[in-house]
Amino acid sequence: MRNTTLGYLLAAASLTILLSGCGSSGAKTGDSGQKSANDEQTFSVVAKQEIPSIDASVTNDVVGWGVLKNTSEGLFRADKDGKLIPAGAAESPRISEDGLTYTIKLREDAVWSNGDPVVAADYVYGWQRTVAPKTASEVAYLFESIKNYQAIMDGQAPAEELGIKALNDYELEVTLEVPVPYMESLLSLPPFFPQNEKTINKSGEKYASSSEHMVYNGPFVLSDFEGAGTDTKWSYVKNEKYWDQANVKMEKINFDVVKEDATALNLFQDGQTDDTVVTGELAQQMVDDPAFFSQDMSNATYVEYNQTKKEFQNENIRKAISYALDRQTLVDQVLGDGSIAATGLVPKNMSFNPETEADFVKDSGNHLKYDPEKAKESWEKAQKELGVDTLKINLLSSDADSAKKVVEYMQGAIQGTLKGVTVEVSSVPLSVRLERGNQGDFDMILVGWGAEYNDPSVFLELFASDNINNSGKYNNKEFDKYLKTSATTDAGNPKARWTDLLEAEKVLMDTMGVCPVYQKAEAHLRNPKVKGILPSGPEYDYKWTFIE
């Protein structure tokens, strides 16, 4: 899903960066963690971006997915140890021998916050709404393994023919085109959540525009949210109608958007917030503080080139830019939060060879090297091929401090290495960055994507020629061939599928169809009294959180 560094997607959703003139040193903040913004089972979090959307059929960013994962719920969710367990489902599914049919019994005590029971028809409606072409969903591709998905996308079948059926009020049947080894993980994601048709019809165009025009079936309800893309304060309030409300300890979680790092630090030190992200100099200063910790993320941050434009259709200019980036310096000196220099698109410590258990990154090898001489050589070739002496590039990112620092570093690295190339940086609010990315209104764009399930395809499929998230319009037949084979012919053969995905990444990197930059880690200052926050993909699940 799209992160906000990434730009995720993604942009930089929850990163912050270099805080200069922040006042105190790390020693002082050890005491600040003892102050508290919480009152009994209440605490406060600094958010780095506004919520672009809370509509499960269209939301495609880390902020919106975080809201949905805490206020809504699908068939499965992670327990407090991170293990996937039935949630909306009453038990594990019955799976046919060929792996194509899932029969899922729903729990009968689940209700919406308006009192309606959560029934099988809510799942059917939600899924059909997401894949309906008129919805123009950026997350509809997640349904590609469901029967008749492609026919629906091609306009050859109505959304009602998607492979999901309500056998009765509390039993679903899901039919696949091919076996999917991570199917239950998919079913835990927001696009697969049930949706309340009555609320959507009643709200009309106002649906999901504010907390008033939503209904919830998760641990919390969203409160005080008054406008997608604009509101800077909102809260999660315990949902007393949630089927498992006895295990939800938090009464309220307050969120406040603060984009200025110095301000966020001051709020934490003054006890006005309990959790804020730190990067750069601040992370380095606070590393010994009792409130400091760093969370590894299966999250790739990369630059997409707009390949509808002649200059970025040129492979050599794409390679020149990649060779000009010293990724290790970037993660060490600019981010300083434990992030890892990228060697390919797929992150480390996420997916492993089904036979040898080797990390995908090890099997794939290092595709990305800092080499100023090769950068200059590639630029010279590009100049001849394009018939130009100079090139002006606009580099787009979100306006989070971290994202701004990253693109400023890239600006200096590219201009300092490639004589004649000028890079102009545009840092805009996340909602604007997402819109411009969707519309192809960019030259280069800083994007991030977080893995919601541990498979290389999470990242690689983004650059299939027909994927709606392929904002730069990379188009390579060989790459598409390997991806398609991995999802069809070799879907049931783990060894062959692994090879397909390795070959797909090799093609993508050999052509520099996208420019990976780093694998994100997220460093926090968090009140030590706050316990049980569960990383959930690139977001956080607060169902199991409590104040000690």
Side-chain angles (χ1 to χ4, degrees), residues 53 60 70 106 128 153 175 203 208 272 316-317 325 340 367-368 381 415 474 480 484 502 520 538:
S53 172
N60 194 26
N70 284 283
L106 305 184
Q128 291 177 353
M153 292 297 104
T175 306
S203 296
Q272 296 181 52
N316 278 309
I317 186 58
L325 301 180
I340 301 169
H367 300 279
L368 305 168
K381 291 178 182 178
Q415 291 183 160
Y474 175 71
D480 285 348
K484 183 176 181 180
L502 287 169
K520 175 183 169 185

Side-chain angles (χ1 to χ4, degrees), residues 453-502:
Y453 51 94
N454 294 332
D455 190 84
S457 64
V458 175
F459 298 95
L460 295 171
E461 66 188 2
L462 298 173
F463 302 98
S465 57
D466 60 352
N467 192 300
I468 195 170
N469 293 291
N470 182 4
S471 301
K473 305 304 179 187
Y474 175 71
N475 190 337
N476 184 288
K477 291 181 179 179
E478 187 179 13
F479 176 79
D480 285 348
K481 179 193 72 173
Y482 284 121
L483 271 189
K484 183 176 181 180
T485 303
S486 75
T488 54
T489 308
D490 294 337
N493 184 333
K495 180 180 179 181
R497 182 175 181 272
W498 185 259
T499 300
D500 292 334
L501 295 173
L502 287 169

Side-chain angles (χ1 to χ4, degrees), residues 188-454:
S188 72
L189 304 183
F192 294 88
F193 287 1
Q195 296 186 36
N196 188 289
E197 185 175 7
K198 182 175 75 174
T199 298
I200 293 174
N201 289 338
K202 180 180 178 181
S203 296
E205 293 184 357
K206 293 183 178 180
Y207 176 67
S209 62
S210 68
S211 50
E212 177 185 356
H213 292 286
M214 281 289 288
V215 66
Y216 313 95
N217 72 322
F220 303 94
V221 299
L222 184 63
S223 177
D224 303 318
F225 175 63
E226 299 178 354
T230 59
D231 199 2
T232 60
K233 293 180 183 290
W234 62 87
S235 300
Y236 299 159
V237 177
K238 183 175 179 179
N239 182 2
E240 297 297 341
K241 293 183 179 179
Y242 179 53
W243 67 270
D244 197 28
Q245 58 89 22
N247 283 314
V248 180
K249 305 304 180 187
M250 296 307 307
E251 295 294 335
K252 190 174 185 181
I253 306 172
N254 298 311
F255 293 83
D256 189 0
V257 175
V258 180
K259 298 181 182 181
E260 297 76 22
D261 297 325
T263 303
L265 174 64
N266 289 335
L267 289 172
F268 184 82
Q269 291 179 323
D270 291 343
Q272 296 181 52
T273 191
D274 295 294
D275 192 350
T276 186
V277 176
V278 292
T279 61
E281 290 181 354
L282 178 63
Q284 296 169 29
Q285 291 171 7
M286 304 304 170
V287 68
D288 295 324
D289 193 283
F292 178 92
F293 78 96
S294 182
Q295 177 72 53
D296 291 337
M297 312 289 279
S298 295
N299 184 311
T301 300
Y302 50 87
V303 169
E304 283 192 76
Y305 306 101
N306 188 340
Q307 297 183 46
T308 67
K309 299 188 175 186
K310 180 181 177 181
E311 57 268 36
F312 296 113
Q313 292 170 3
N314 184 279
E315 189 174 309
N316 278 309
I317 186 58
R318 303 196 303 261
K319 288 182 176 179
I321 290 168
S322 178
Y323 281 130
L325 301 180
D326 185 345
R327 294 166 174 83
Q328 198 61 51
T329 294
L330 172 64
V331 297
D332 289 344
Q333 299 182 19
V334 178
L335 292 172
D337 56 5
S339 292
I340 301 169
T343 57
L345 178 64
V346 178
K348 294 180 179 179
N349 303 320
M350 186 195 78
S351 46
F352 302 90
N353 188 309
E355 290 194 330
T356 67
E357 298 186 357
D359 195 304
F360 185 91
V361 172
K362 181 178 180 181
D363 279 358
S364 187
N366 186 357
H367 300 279
L368 305 168
K369 296 180 180 178
Y370 171 53
D371 192 328
E373 292 307 311
K374 282 190 176 181
K376 293 172 184 176
E377 291 173 10
S378 296
W379 169 227
E380 289 174 1
K381 291 178 182 178
Q383 286 174 302
K384 293 177 182 178
E385 292 163 354
L386 292 170
V388 300
D389 293 320
T390 63
L391 181 63
K392 185 175 182 180
I393 300 170
N394 184 273
L395 176 56
L396 179 66
S397 78
S398 78
D399 61 356
D401 273 2
S402 57
K404 290 193 286 188
K405 290 296 183 182
V406 169
V407 293
E408 287 169 4
Y409 163 78
M410 293 179 63
Q411 177 187 45
I414 295 168
Q415 291 183 160
T417 306
L418 308 179
K419 185 178 180 181
V421 177
T422 303
V423 179
E424 177 185 61
V425 167
S426 295
S427 297
V428 298
L430 174 60
S431 58
V432 176
R433 195 214 64 79
L434 291 172
E435 182 179 4
R436 287 184 59 182
N438 293 340
Q439 295 177 349
D441 182 16
F442 63 91
D443 293 335
M444 291 167 48
I445 185 170
L446 183 70
V447 175
W449 199 268
E452 294 290 348
Y453 51 94
N454 294 332

